[in-house]
Every structure is written in C-alpha cells, then in structure tokens.
C-alpha cells in the first residue's frame, strides 16, 4: 500500500465506486433550545435597556451590536452543514471536524488492554461539533465516564476528563474504539448509541458542546492516511485504512 496522501483522505484514481449521501444545511437539534432561549434573553435585555436606560443611547446601541454578534457566534457553533458522506468497509473516516494532533502507538487500558494506534482530532470552538461513526458495524461496548475538564490537548485528558468510550466491530472485521472527550469549555457530551446498536459510517453518534477532541484507536498495523497537523472533516476525510484479507478501496 502507498504512504499517506499529500491531501488527507484523497481518493485514488480508478478505485471502486463508493457511496456518498447528501445532507442539507440546518441547525443541529442540540442547539435549538439553547438558541431559542438565548435569543429570548437577549431580546428582553435589549428591550429593557431601551425602556429604562434610554438616556444611555450609545451604550444601548453597542450592547445591541454585541448581542447580535454573540448570537451569530452561537448560531455558527450549532450549525449542521451539508456533507457528502464517504462510506466503505475497510476505511476509517474522521469522526469530527478539526485538526489531527496525535498519531502514536499507545497502550489502551479500558477495553483492549494492549497496544493500539491512537489518532486524535482536536475540535476548536469554531469547528462543527457533530461526532460521527468512523466505521459501520455493531456497537460491542459503550461506557460513559464522568471526570475533569482539563484542556483537550492535555495528555491526561483522554483518561481524566469526562468522556464516552464506544467500540464498534467493523464490517471489515477489526474493532475500532473511539472516544468523545470533554475539554475546558466543553461541559456536556451527548451520545446517541448503546451496546448492540448497528451503526452506519458517517452518521451522527453524538455531539460535544463547545469544543473538545475525539480519540480513535485502531490496530497497530492500520495504515494512516493523514499526518499530524492535517485538518479533517467529519464524515468525509479518510484517516486510515484497516488491514483486511482483501482491502479494496486503496488497493492491496
């Protein structure tokens, strides 16, 4: 197999057909209630300022502008943009938007209790915060861990922070573990999967509010298709290829 592409997740020429599914831009369901009550609160404060603080017209105008900017920033955080989802049984797709900050062989103690290759994607507050299934298959393990809120790039955040752990037995055979990890700003993790569920590659498995990271653990012989520093898109970027008896997307 070839080495990492200079463009993360780029498809090879002449490869087999793969499936893409289209989704329209929308506001994610996790943000609708927050956005509604935020808009209501900001509107109420601005109306009260206009009524009871009319003498400070300059301040009121500045506050109105700040209110609009704050609401737009919150709106973009909860966006759920159009995505062409790439699916194939022997590839691992980025579970979230962000930047690859870790690729290394580590001991995974919670489920495998052996050495696995870890790939970590850091999500900044301006990224889309939907988390997606990196592979299709059956959920063999799920656990929620309460914990701390260390900054997401801290080495101990993977084991000390609030997090969820999901293990999927992929359609290609190997098991893939992935973790939502809360950060200093992310104070709520939402998940939509349970043990025994059948999941589809690219579909949402959760949401992390206000920035964090996702860790993926794959067998050590898995071929990487990204490098540290690469920017990836959830559901679209190929980050790795699982080693199977007959890999087909990128060739044998």
């Amino acid at each position: 197999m070839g080495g990492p592409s200079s463009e993360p997740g780029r498809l090879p020429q002449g490869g087999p057909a793969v499936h893409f599914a289209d989704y329209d831009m929308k506001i994610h369901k996790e943000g609708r209630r927050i956005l509604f009550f935020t808009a209501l609160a900001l509107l109420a404060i601005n109306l009260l300022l206009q009524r009871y603080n009319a003498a400070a017209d300059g301040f009121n105008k500045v506050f109105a502008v700040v209110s609009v900017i704050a609401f737009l920033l919150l709106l973009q955080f909860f966006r759920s943009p159009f995505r062409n989802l790439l699916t194939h049984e022997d590839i691992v797709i980025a579970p979230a938007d962000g930047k690859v900050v870790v690729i290394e062989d580590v001991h995974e103690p919670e489920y495998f209790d052996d050495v696995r290759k870890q790939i970590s994607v850091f999500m900044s507050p301006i990224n889309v915060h939907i988390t997606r299934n990196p592979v299709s298959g059956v959920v063999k393990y799920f656990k929620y861990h309460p914990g701390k809120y260390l900054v997401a790039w801290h080495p101990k955040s993977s084991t000390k922070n609030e997090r969820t752990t999901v293990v999927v037995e992929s359609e290609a055979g190997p098991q893939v573990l992935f973790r939502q990890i809360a950060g200093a700003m992310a104070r709520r993790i939402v998940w939509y999967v349970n043990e025994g569920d059948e999941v589809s590659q690219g579909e949402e498995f959760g949401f992390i509010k206000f920035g964090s990271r996702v860790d993926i653990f794959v067998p050590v012989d898995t071929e990487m298709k990204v490098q540290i520093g690469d920017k990836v898109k959830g559901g679209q970027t190929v980050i790795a290829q699982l080693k199977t008896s007959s890999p087909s997307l990128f060739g044998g």
Side-chain angles (χ1 to χ4, degrees):
M1 299 180 188
S5 169
S6 59
E7 297 180 35
R10 183 180 178 183
L11 295 180
Q13 297 296 319
V18 291
H19 173 68
F20 290 89
D22 295 342
Y23 289 85
D24 295 329
M25 168 68 88
K26 59 183 179 180
I27 300 302
H28 197 274
K29 63 183 179 181
E30 298 296 340
R32 292 170 192 165
R33 185 172 181 178
I34 293 173
L35 288 166
F36 174 77
F37 285 107
T38 299
L40 204 62
L42 290 173
L43 178 61
I45 294 170
N46 277 278
L47 290 174
L48 288 171
L49 287 174
Q50 291 296 327
R51 181 168 183 178
Y52 297 107
N53 195 38
D57 184 61
F59 173 83
N60 293 346
K61 289 179 178 178
V62 170
F63 189 85
V65 171
V66 171
S67 297
V68 171
I69 293 172
F71 184 78
L72 290 176
L73 288 173
L74 193 61
L75 186 67
Q76 70 84 33
F77 175 83
F78 286 107
R79 70 195 187 279
S80 179
F82 171 94
R83 280 291 154 87
N84 286 318
L85 301 180
L86 169 61
T87 65
H88 198 277
E89 66 177 15
D90 66 353
I91 59 174
V92 181
I93 299 298
D97 288 19
K99 183 179 180 180
V100 178
V101 293
V102 173
I103 299 176
E104 62 181 356
D105 292 350
V106 298
H107 180 263
E108 196 294 304
E110 180 179 351
Y111 180 80
F112 295 113
D113 194 23
D114 65 9
V115 176
R116 297 276 152 160
K117 191 174 293 293
Q118 175 183 335
I119 310 108
S120 297
V121 176
F122 174 72
M123 307 158 68
S124 77
I126 63 172
N127 286 129
V128 174
H129 285 74
I130 298 166
T131 49
R132 301 178 182 274
N133 298 306
V135 294
S136 295
V138 177
V139 178
K140 292 297 184 180
Y141 176 84
F142 173 85
K143 189 170 183 178
Y144 166 75
H145 301 269
K148 299 179 180 180
Y149 298 99
L150 302 172
V151 290
W153 56 84
H154 194 288
K156 292 186 177 181
S157 65
S158 293
T159 55
K160 298 295 184 182
N161 281 18
E162 179 185 3
R163 62 200 182 278
T164 62
T165 300
V166 183
V167 178
V168 170
E169 185 175 281
S170 69
E171 291 180 345
Q175 292 187 334
V176 176
L177 183 153
F178 41 101
R179 235 177 234 132
Q180 296 171 297
I181 302 170
M185 292 181 65
R187 295 302 175 112
R188 188 182 176 198
I189 293 174
V190 181
W191 62 90
Y192 312 132
V193 297
N194 294 288
E195 284 186 23
D197 288 352
E198 291 187 7
V199 297
S200 297
Q201 196 170 43
E203 288 186 354
E204 297 181 23
F205 79 85
F207 195 95
I208 309 178
K209 296 185 177 181
F210 303 108
S212 194
R213 67 186 259 187
V214 180
D215 290 348
I216 309 98
F217 294 83
V218 294
V220 292
D221 61 357
T222 300
E223 182 180 358
M224 294 296 98
K225 297 295 181 181
V226 291
Q227 300 175 1
I228 291 177
D230 285 346
K231 293 182 179 179
V232 298
K233 284 193 174 184
Q236 288 187 328
T237 306
V238 179
I239 62 172
Q241 182 180 16
L242 298 169
K243 187 175 182 180
T244 62
S245 58
S246 56
S248 54
L249 182 57
F250 287 92

